[in-house]
Amino acid sequence: MIGVLVTFTQTEKYDRSALAKIAGELRGPFEGMAGLRLKSFMLDEDGVRARNFYVWDDEDKARSFFTDELVDKVAGIYGVRPQIEYLDIVGIVDNSGT
């Protein structure tokens, strides 16, 4: 498994309700996406960083998803280009089934 942390950093605080609206509007295409286990939309405590975290089954699928075209598209949505970090998941606890 591989995790991908996508960070959008602004100088001004993000509006939480605007980010929640974005999350709701963008949720659909990710539901049932092949190879994607989890995607979360997050806002840091200071409000200047919106972060999206993905858990993928396969590194190739994760890396092929984040094309230059996609990065340009999300930069338009969030107002800044994101920083993308690929993380090797060495263990996970999933309590969603309990």
Side-chain angles (χ1 to χ4, degrees):
M1 277 187 295
I2 185 166
V4 183
L5 181 60
V6 180
T7 304
F8 303 89
T9 304
Q10 293 191 147
T11 55
E12 301 291 323
K13 286 187 174 188
Y14 279 98
D15 177 89
R16 188 183 189 287
S17 61
L19 287 181
K21 183 179 178 190
I22 290 169
E25 291 171 352
L26 296 181
R27 177 184 181 135
F30 294 100
E31 292 177 336
M33 184 178 282
L36 180 66
R37 284 194 181 201
L38 171 88
K39 179 184 190 319
S40 63
F41 297 85
M42 303 173 289
L43 179 62
D44 279 3
E45 189 173 18
D46 63 10
V48 298
R49 284 182 300 277
R51 292 184 173 180
N52 296 335
F53 186 69
Y54 302 74
V55 176
W56 295 87
D57 289 325
D58 178 74
E59 182 174 351
D60 290 337
K61 285 184 182 179
R63 290 186 182 273
S64 67
F65 178 75
F66 293 98
T67 63
D68 290 339
E69 181 181 0
L70 179 82
V71 170
D72 289 343
K73 182 178 179 179
V74 296
I77 294 168
Y78 285 87
V80 293
R81 291 190 64 79
Q83 175 187 0
I84 300 174
E85 299 173 73
Y86 295 90
L87 309 162
D88 183 15
I89 296 176
V90 297
I92 195 165
V93 174
D94 181 357
N95 293 325
S96 62
T98 59

